[in-house]
Amino acid sequence: MTASPTPSPAAALPSTRDENWRYAPLRGLERLQWTPPAALTAEAVEAARALLGDAPAAGLRWTFIDGHFATALSSGTAPQTSTGAAPDASDSGVDLAFARLNRRHAAAPVTLRIPADTTLDLELACVAQSVGHPAFVIEVGAGAKLRLFERHLGAANALANLWLQLRLAPGARVEHSRLLQPASGARHFETLQLRLDAGAELHLVQLTTGGAATRSTALVDLAGADATLRWHTAMLGSGQQAHDAYVRVTHDAPGARTEQAYRGIAADRSRIAFNGHMRVTSRARGANSDQTLRSLLAGPAAEANARPQLEIDTDDVRASHGATVGKLDADMLFYLLSRGIAPDAAESLLKWAFVSDVLAKLPDAALRARFESAIAPLLPGAEAARSLA
């Protein structure tokens, strides 16, 4: 692979000295190659097929390998690239640094426009085999409904840098399920820019389980009156993994509402962090923000950081937040052991229960089964133990 023409990441990208990147897995960025492959090869398609582990469904599924559309692993109508202006990543702020890097390397972003008052189900599968910068713009028309299932996989030592812009017109509704499951040694960075107009609703569930390092940056703008965001996310760290997320939600219109719940488990020597930043501007009279961040330490050298932030510029607001970091409940563990459940299975069962309230927010049983399949290898014996508890 040729050397990247990108300026040194050490100069162009954030560092842990930046406030919102204090716990981000940024070590070694200057040694990475950022240039994606120029074309998709047959070998990459077959390797991605093995990672996906299933055939394209009858509905709409778009599969991308290192940012290239893979027809053989997709179904339904092929996507269109954007012919308009480039998406907005021009802000010089450090939180859009990876978005700017994506725009420098990616081809024209894939654009999906959903007409008003229509319904669409879409599975979006992104596979990183070497280096990928997938870029998407999704516009959901007034009163339209979108069910979007996103999953991100990566081969060992692959690098992915996703940019996603999602816009909801007035009255639009989106159920957005996200599964981040790159292979051991892979790195995944992503920047999400989300905007909700009046009366729009976004229900997002995200699970992060794999890779050597992941960083999610989400900038959400509740721009219309009575826009509603429900954000539920879980992270499971093991080995020496590092997972970090920064979610900034700006309530910028009357009656804007957010419900945010985070559950994280750090096992072995892993590090996990979640920074939930709630902003309520003076225009957001009657806004409502509810935030709970909970983490479990399940390893002697594990690290978990949970940081709730409230920034409020109006008195007419309801806001609550809380963060806890603790260990497995000793009384519950004793109870499970007294029922004849093996120690490892009992611990796995308690961890499963800890993240189950996030998985319960998924829109249907089929999706829950897929997410549970991603968790099962990390919590051996939990499924069998559930029938005994």
Side-chain angles (χ1 to χ4, degrees):
M1 182 179 296
T2 59
S4 170
T6 304
S8 167
L13 296 179
S15 75
T16 52
R17 292 188 296 273
D18 294 301
E19 184 64 23
N20 295 332
W21 298 81
R22 183 181 302 174
Y23 304 110
L26 302 176
R27 182 177 300 174
L29 291 183
E30 69 281 357
R31 297 191 297 272
L32 299 179
Q33 297 290 344
W34 294 87
T35 303
L40 188 58
T41 66
E43 292 79 4
V45 171
E46 292 309 309
R49 191 191 305 275
L51 279 177
L52 289 168
D54 57 5
L60 185 59
R61 180 166 100 174
W62 291 345
T63 300
F64 293 83
I65 303 172
D66 291 334
H68 298 284
F69 181 63
T71 303
L73 303 179
S74 302
S75 59
T77 306
Q80 301 294 316
T81 56
S82 175
T83 56
D88 182 16
S90 58
D91 189 301
S92 60
V94 70
D95 293 325
L96 287 177
F98 279 94
R100 290 191 294 272
L101 184 60
N102 176 287
R103 300 312 315 129
R104 191 173 302 148
H105 280 296
V110 170
T111 301
L112 173 63
R113 295 184 174 92
I114 302 172
D117 300 315
T118 60
T119 300
L120 178 69
D121 287 8
L122 169 65
E123 178 182 344
L124 187 60
C126 295
V127 181
Q129 291 290 352
S130 56
V131 179
H133 295 271
F136 305 97
V137 175
I138 301 177
E139 299 177 353
V140 187
K145 296 181 180 179
L146 170 66
R147 291 187 57 181
L148 175 61
F149 172 42
E150 241 187 291
R151 54 176 171 156
H152 296 271
L153 307 171
N157 303 316
L159 171 64
N161 178 29
L162 168 75
W163 183 91
L164 171 67
Q165 189 173 81
L166 178 62
R167 305 167 182 164
L168 281 66
R173 179 182 175 90
V174 175
E175 293 179 344
H176 193 178
S177 307
R178 311 189 72 238
L179 179 57
L180 273 58
Q181 199 179 10
S184 175
R187 294 193 185 208
H188 178 94
F189 299 94
E190 61 181 24
T191 305
L192 313 181
Q193 289 179 275
L194 316 177
R195 176 188 170 94
L196 283 67
D197 287 337
E201 296 186 23
L202 172 61
H203 301 179
L204 187 145
V205 179
Q206 177 166 321
L207 173 64
T208 302
T209 66
T214 68
R215 160 70 186 209
S216 295
T217 302
L219 309 176
V220 187
D221 187 9
L222 302 182
D226 298 316
T228 299
L229 171 69
R230 294 185 176 89
W231 188 289
H232 297 84
T233 184
M235 290 180 187
L236 279 74
S238 60
Q240 297 187 25
Q241 293 176 340
H243 301 312
D244 180 50
Y246 172 63
V247 180
R248 187 183 73 206
V249 182
T250 301
H251 304 71
D252 200 31
R257 296 182 293 273
T258 297
E259 172 189 309
Q260 184 181 80
Y262 160 75
R263 303 292 182 263
I265 302 177
D268 305 320
R269 299 177 61 85
S270 63
R271 294 184 296 113
I272 61 172
F274 187 91
N275 183 349
H277 185 175
M278 297 291 190
R279 296 178 57 197
V280 182
T281 72
S282 58
R283 290 180 291 273
R285 298 179 304 278
N288 192 334
S289 170
D290 182 16
Q291 182 187 64
T292 60
L293 314 179
R294 297 175 59 195
S295 302
L296 275 182
L297 288 171
E303 179 181 335
N305 295 279
R307 183 183 179 188
Q309 298 186 66
L310 286 178
E311 182 180 340
I312 300 175
D313 293 328
T314 178
D315 293 331
D316 185 8
V317 63
R318 294 178 59 190
S320 63
H321 71 283
T324 62
V325 177
K327 296 184 178 182
L328 292 174
D329 188 309
D331 292 336
M332 287 300 301
L333 184 59
F334 176 79
Y335 169 76
L336 294 174
L337 295 176
S338 70
R339 297 291 302 271
I341 298 175
D344 288 347
E347 290 187 6
S348 293
L349 183 58
L350 290 178
K351 295 175 185 176
W352 190 292
F354 184 73
V355 299
S356 63
D357 56 346
V358 170
L359 301 188
K361 302 299 182 180
L362 289 162
D364 58 51
L367 268 178
R368 284 195 294 275
R370 298 184 81 161
F371 277 61
E372 289 176 355
S373 295
I375 291 178
L378 302 175
L379 304 177
E383 289 186 280
R386 282 194 294 176
S387 63
L388 301 176

